Amino acid sequence: GAGVSQSPSNKVTEKGKDVELRCDPISGHTALYWYRQSLGQGLEFLIYFQGNSAPDKSGLPSDRFSAERTGGSVSTLTIQRTQQEDSAVYLCASRLNRASTDTQYFGPGTRLTVL
Amino acid sequence: AQTVTQSQPEMSVQEAETVTLSCTYDTSESNYYLFWYKQPPSRQMILVIRQEAYKQQNATENRFSVNFQKAAKSFSLKISDSQLGDTAMYFCAFMKQNGNQFYFGTGTSLTVIP
């Protein structure tokens, strides 16, 4: 009965380095979302997965951002050549499926700091 | 595009009192869903309450209730008998009926004062 987990919980990196953020959704949840939460801002939608496919990548801010999901479970968000403006909390959420009645469950987030 | 606006960045309320958080949204959709999420300092986002746009009756969950005004595109959250544990950021969110994407407001930081 574990919830959504994310790792690492905190990540400090130097400008220009690549980082990988991991999300483990609730078992059996087919829909998975990535959001970015900058200081004092709301949640910015990044990408959505249904199973292993990402029908909506419209929120990815640049081509330095990419995400994949394998086996319909774990997802990885990769940021290449990190910039200071990438510093934020990255939240992952999962839902059972796309039905409107399904609740979105969030993980605790990864706080990324780019020096 | 859908937008969600929360015009109150910060609010405070005395313990046991009632507080209302405001949210407005803009959409051309006729069927959609609205949500209030709570984010305590632990960063864990928790669903507080949801409202289906096709339902006229306002949703209620224990001490939490909403005032949904579809014509005005307003969706406020009322917290009754405020408790210290209610201290958190509160986000209003919108979801289209197809459930693809959620749109969030910038949040209201609520502090419950003992």
Side-chain angles (χ1 to χ4, degrees):
Chain A
V4 179
S5 62
Q6 292 185 246
S7 60
S9 56
N10 288 284
K11 175 71 177 178
V12 180
T13 190
E14 294 180 347
K15 178 182 175 181
K17 299 283 189 182
D18 298 351
V19 295
E20 282 190 356
L21 312 181
R22 176 187 169 106
C23 172
D24 280 273
I26 293 173
S27 178
H29 280 197
T30 61
L32 187 146
Y33 300 78
W34 281 100
Y35 296 90
R36 179 168 69 177
Q37 185 178 22
S38 301
L39 188 63
Q41 300 296 312
L43 273 68
E44 175 189 3
F45 169 82
L46 296 179
I47 190 169
Y48 155 78
F49 286 93
Q50 181 62 37
N52 289 338
S53 64
D56 192 345
K57 302 180 181 179
S58 62
L60 294 176
S62 76
D63 59 8
R64 296 186 296 104
F65 287 72
S66 63
E68 64 176 15
R69 189 179 185 194
T70 55
S73 180
V74 172
S75 177
T76 303
L77 177 68
T78 301
I79 308 173
Q80 296 178 311
R81 305 181 302 280
T82 52
Q83 303 295 312
Q84 288 184 332
E85 60 263 29
D86 299 334
S87 295
V89 174
Y90 289 81
L91 291 168
C92 173
S94 72
R95 295 171 75 205
L96 182 58
N97 57 44
R98 280 182 54 194
S100 58
T101 54
D102 295 331
T103 298
Q104 191 175 200
Y105 294 90
F106 282 83
T110 294
R111 182 179 297 281
L112 174 65
T113 303
V114 182
L115 302 177
Chain B
Q2 278 60 228
T3 58
V4 179
T5 302
Q6 293 179 252
S7 58
Q8 304 155 313
E10 295 181 356
M11 293 192 72
S12 62
V13 62
Q14 289 291 136
E15 193 175 6
E17 296 294 308
T18 295
V19 64
T20 299
L21 309 183
S22 300
C23 173
T24 58
Y25 58 94
D26 187 22
T27 184
S28 58
E29 304 284 322
S30 57
N31 294 316
Y32 49 87
Y33 301 85
L34 296 163
F35 307 83
W36 278 98
Y37 281 89
K38 169 185 177 181
Q39 187 181 39
S42 66
R43 291 204 310 246
Q44 187 77 51
M45 293 276 281
I46 303 164
L47 178 66
V48 174
I49 198 166
R50 61 178 283 157
Q51 173 82 41
E52 291 85 355
Y54 61 84
K55 289 187 178 178
Q56 293 186 338
Q57 185 172 10
N58 289 323
T60 299
E61 288 287 342
N62 301 314
R63 297 183 296 106
F64 299 89
S65 62
V66 299
N67 183 5
F68 174 49
Q69 301 289 328
K70 190 173 184 179
K73 296 180 181 174
S74 171
F75 183 60
S76 60
L77 174 69
K78 185 171 82 172
I79 305 174
S80 304
D81 185 26
S82 297
Q83 301 176 359
L84 297 179
D86 295 335
T87 292
M89 281 288 289
Y90 286 82
F91 291 96
C92 178
F94 169 101
M95 183 186 81
K96 292 183 187 180
Q97 192 175 26
N98 69 7
N100 231 16
Q101 187 168 340
F102 287 72
Y103 301 85
F104 285 81
T106 52
T108 295
S109 177
L110 176 68
T111 301
V112 180
I113 303 167

